[in-house]
Amino acid sequence: MADLTLNEKRLLLALAPRGRAGAGALAEALETSEEAVVQYAHLCADRGLAAIERTVTKTYTLTPEGEEYRKSGLPERQIFEQIGDGISMKDLQALPLSRIGIGWLRKKGWIAIKNGVAEKSGEVPPGDDEIALAAPKEGMPGIPDLLKRNLVVEAEEAAYAIAITPAGQALVETGLDLREETGTLTRDQILSGSWRTANLRRYSLQTPPKRIYPGKSHPYQRIIDDVKRILQDMGFVEMRGDIVLSAFWDFDALFQPQDHPAREMQDTFYLDRTEPVPAGWEGVRDMHEHGGATSSTGWGGIWEAAKAEQCVLRTHTTPLSVKYLIENPRPPVKAFALGRVYRREAIDPTHLPEFEQLEGIVMDEDVTFRHLLGYLREFYQRMGFENVRFRPGYFPYTEPSVEPEVWVDGLGWVELGGAGVFREEVTAPWGIEAPVLAWGLGISRVGMLKLGLKDLRQLYRSDIDWIRESPVIGKGE
Amino acid sequence: MAIIRLNYEYLERLTGTDRQIVIDRLPMIGSDIERTLEDHVDVEFFPSRVDLYSTEGVARAMRGFLGIEEGLPDYPVTPSGIAFSVDPALAEIRPYLASAVIRNVRLDEAGIESLMGLQESLHWALGRGRRKVAIGVHDMDAVKPPFRYLASPRDRRFVPLDFTEDLSMEEILADHPKGRDYARLVEEFDRFPLIVDAEDRVLSFPPIINGELTRVTTETKNILLDCTGTDERAVRMAANIICTALAEAGAEIESVLIDGVACPDLSPAERIVGPADCARLLGLDLNAAAMAALLRKMRFGAEPLPDGRVRVLVPPYRADIMHDWDLFEDIAIAYGYDRFDAALPRTFTTGREHPISALERMVRAIFTGLGHLEVLPFTLTSEKLLYGRMGREPSPDVLPVAKPITEDQSVVRTHILPLLMETLEINRHRELPQRIFATGDVIRGETTMQTVAAVSIHAAADFSEAYATMDALCRECGLRAEFAESADPAFIDGRRGDVVVNGKIVGVFGEIHPEVLAAFSLEHPVAALELDLTAVPGYPGRQDTP
């Protein structure tokens, strides 16, 4: 019990001879306010040294309308006194106060109306409401009616009485140290050595500290950082690039046919800009039209440069890979990109018009589909997905294509990204001869899985309290 | 993607095996099971495998994959002697036609539903919404050959499917539900495509609607197929897929003479591939015999050649085989993706962070050290937010998207600060102080660049805090900058500063103007800043000052 503050000790000392006292009396004795006494008493009560009794009394004050009626009577009473034994309805309605009074007269049964004439039902003694109106007090039967008629207003007043418990008495009997306490040590106390004799206040571990939060990265950014670190650890160089691309880079260079549904206005954000097709575009055209010098038939039809020149917000990060390979045509190349991509989607909990995509490529003389699966397994396992399996997939620019799936407890096998070997139709126009393994992955999906979110929007329109409460390490409670 | 409904009984009848065996192995040829119900399963196939868009097609593939029936399916075609002519005036409208006669179909209600389903899926995947290909099936016995595909005047009348009275073709485009859906495909032409019989009765107004006359019912015995469109390869492929699917169900195929040329041509295409190319792509050590065996499981005709290569016969329904590698993928699928020995290559490479990412990472460290929380706001936003609510003049550098879905995502951000103000607005009921920052891409003109922005809101936020924070940021970034009076209207006059490097404004800071606070429903002062990372030493291409 040694961690009582001076104020609590003084309260117990004041209570000890009294046993039980009102907060007002104690406040006077301790020369402080009632609120302070109640606060000290709560701290004592938490330790079982005192008990607090709270009594609530209700008081009533008359509204201006109520005050007027207290003096001159309720409207129905005033009319009742005026009308003799009977009165025609027409005359009754002409009386002042009749708008309020007639209803109550009928409701209370003070008059009966027959053939357009109101007749008194006899003499009526003062009702509960009239008695209460004269001097309203808690518990009077007329009070509810007065409240309903808005003639009185109710107020609650709490009064506190505090009693010392046997444990409190026992503590007082052992004697209490009433020297002044020191909270925060002062420079003087430290330098002079007076801290040695000071009564240093003891602080309770039962009182939780104020919550403070460090400055920190966004929880989703930490996942992005982890992914990037994993790829750098695996020997990949980071690529970055423009968000605005011509359709040539976003689609045509990736062998997406010009009539592919994904290229339509309803799926892609087009811009009112064009960019000329780059040097070497003829190879891409040939690939689309007839497969160039490869064993491919191409898509057939006529390839239109005008369609390729329209600019878009990149719909994926794969164009960065093709551009990077053109700039770095010699194997080995291992590169990745992680950036925002854009799809023309309406916002809902699982769809957003922008999100992060990861892109990885490996170009080397002797890499094969088997190595692609090896990279994927290694990557997903480093991401914390122990069980990985592979199923056939389809993407216009890879062959073979594969859809990796990872096991997530509670969800089962979850498709996470897509991968494949770049088609020759993609690499041949640029003279890239070594095989190129490629994979892509929606990182916002990983973010949702890892952060346990059901709504993607939380990643981008964040609740600050969510960021504050998300621990840097692990997921939190 | 197309969802295909597989009726269990029908599937078992066509595959000759238990439904569960089929369903268990389906994902390994490339499908997603959407839902399993009492009498059927709904599966999704890739848009490249249009031949799997019918129960018959799935059964054909699964019989091979499960080893029940391997190799090239044989589809005999006998001549019907029926002629079909194509009007040269269609050349600029819808030039290509494929056709066939399909005899002895036995369609129950489920069979008709399956055929209609296949037709719709092909319209979507191969036909690109009927533009490239539209398919019509007709009760052959209701009409009389020869048939003519012609360019008709637009006022030609006939009774379209689901109607009882005749309409002109123009009225069909305006009043028939299918007419309204597809009018855009033909309305610009002076004449419309039309198929009629020997007595000038209308079979179809492709790609819009068939005539009621040739409606296919459970009574239908013989079918006339028409596929029309703008892409010859796709038109022929659609006819091949329909014909072979119905042949799988037991019907007989007869050819039609289109301007003298027999159609359909269900003969396989030939490709010759070698084990070296296959091994180089897949990393599997397979000889020609092993390759051929796996290809036969995928329903190709395949036999090893004396020179060690493989002669492959591609079935007429495989639209996706464009390149030798497409065959190798099928070899991988037949081999089983789950059986591959996943391996890592031994080549040495070193990883490296992009210099811009490194800068962003260090900027994050500076701001988290200053006690700020990071947020990752959208890059798509509105001019109203970027400029209107900030009290700033619209920038000529802003990049609008052509067809935004909503005003809120109609431009790409040129600055991040306004997005942070919006984040404060979203969090205005959360405890203060709030100090947040964000760094990332912005687009000015067409150029992707990066900035960092930070805001602090609390009762004592002021110019001094903004100045001190910007000063700390510049110092920590090693940026030697001058601070000058700013004219940025988002801030209070006399409480704002520009960051100037080599005479160019690269950042701004100060106390947000009360009008701007009101525009974001904020009730406390905000200290704010934004700095272009392009000015920071280490940014690629930056001219470092000595």
Side-chain angles (χ1 to χ4, degrees), chain A residues 3-70:
Chain A
D3 57 351
L4 289 181
T5 65
L6 187 61
N7 285 325
E8 292 156 39
K9 290 175 190 166
R10 291 177 61 221
L11 174 66
L12 288 176
L13 285 175
L15 267 177
R18 292 174 169 87
R20 179 178 180 282
L26 289 166
E28 222 165 280
L30 296 174
E31 294 177 332
T32 182
S33 66
E34 281 193 45
E35 290 78 39
V37 166
V38 172
Q39 191 197 336
Y40 307 152
H42 274 295
L43 294 166
C44 291
D46 288 347
R47 295 168 172 82
L49 303 173
I52 301 171
E53 296 158 21
R54 182 171 183 265
T55 43
V56 176
T57 44
K58 289 180 177 162
T59 58
Y60 299 90
T61 37
L62 296 171
T63 63
E65 189 186 0
E67 182 57 34
E68 195 188 313
Y69 296 159
R70 188 185 64 80

Side-chain angles (χ1 to χ4, degrees), chain B residues 169-245:
Chain B
M169 292 164 86
E170 280 181 339
E171 285 165 351
I172 288 172
L173 295 192
D175 298 333
H176 196 285
K178 295 290 177 199
R180 287 195 292 270
D181 287 352
Y182 297 102
R184 63 192 156 75
L185 297 176
V186 291
E187 61 195 353
E188 62 181 286
F189 299 114
D190 295 339
R191 288 176 164 253
F192 289 157
L194 190 71
I195 296 174
V196 295
D197 76 347
E199 292 171 5
D200 207 31
R201 291 177 295 187
V202 173
L203 282 75
S204 177
F205 168 16
I208 311 297
I209 189 77
N210 282 352
E212 180 65 30
L213 176 68
T214 54
R215 174 189 282 278
V216 171
T217 68
T218 50
E219 305 297 308
T220 302
K221 295 270 182 305
N222 303 306
I223 282 178
L224 177 76
L225 169 71
D226 81 78
C227 300
T228 62
T230 56
D231 180 312
E232 186 172 16
R233 205 198 289 185
V235 166
R236 290 181 177 284
M237 186 54 72
N240 291 358
I241 287 169
I242 300 260
C243 286
T244 59

Side-chain angles (χ1 to χ4, degrees), chain B residues 11 63 96 192 238 247-248 264 307 348 414 428 448 502 539 541:
Chain B
L11 184 69
R63 285 203 305 275
Y96 301 108
F192 289 157
E248 288 288 338
D307 66 1
F348 175 80
T414 50
R428 64 187 180 280
T448 303
N502 295 336
Y539 192 92

Side-chain angles (χ1 to χ4, degrees), chain A residues 342 344 354 364 391 424 463, chain B residues 32 323 347 379 403 430:
Chain A
Y342 299 82
R344 196 171 171 279
E354 54 178 301
D364 204 355
R391 290 205 300 118
E424 208 185 351
D463 181 339
Chain B
D32 273 326
H323 187 284
T347 314
T379 55
K403 289 231 168 82
R430 296 304 185 195

Side-chain angles (χ1 to χ4, degrees), chain A residues 216 218 238 259 270 273 295 297 334 342 344 354 364 369-370 391 399 401 423-424 463-464, chain B residues 31-32 128 132 271 281 322-323 326 329 337 341 347 352 354 357 379-380 402-403 427 430:
Chain A
K216 53 187 168 181
H218 192 280
E238 188 185 6
D259 64 0
Y270 279 87
R273 284 158 208 253
S295 72
T297 59
K334 280 163 68 181
Y342 299 82
R344 196 171 171 279
E354 54 178 301
D364 204 355
F369 186 62
R370 205 157 73 85
R391 290 205 300 118
E399 192 77 10
S401 303
R423 295 186 73 99
E424 208 185 351
D463 181 339
I464 281 181
Chain B
S31 80
D32 273 326
R128 302 282 193 242
K132 275 172 94 172
R271 276 182 184 268
L281 183 67
M322 303 171 66
H323 187 284
D326 296 309
E329 180 182 65
Y337 278 20
D341 177 23
T347 314
R352 193 164 62 246
H354 193 281
S357 301
T379 55
L380 289 172
K403 289 231 168 82
N427 285 283
R430 296 304 185 195

Side-chain angles (χ1 to χ4, degrees), chain A residues 218 220 346-355 444-463 466, chain B residues 378:
Chain A
H218 192 280
Y220 180 41
I347 290 189
D348 72 30
T350 54
H351 295 89
L352 293 179
E354 54 178 301
F355 53 92
S444 48
R445 255 187 94 112
V446 177
M448 272 176 98
L449 283 176
K450 296 242 171 209
L451 297 168
L453 297 180
K454 295 207 164 53
D455 189 337
L456 266 176
R457 289 172 289 194
Q458 176 70 343
L459 298 178
Y460 304 93
R461 290 170 66 89
S462 296
D463 181 339
W466 174 67
Chain B
F378 286 124

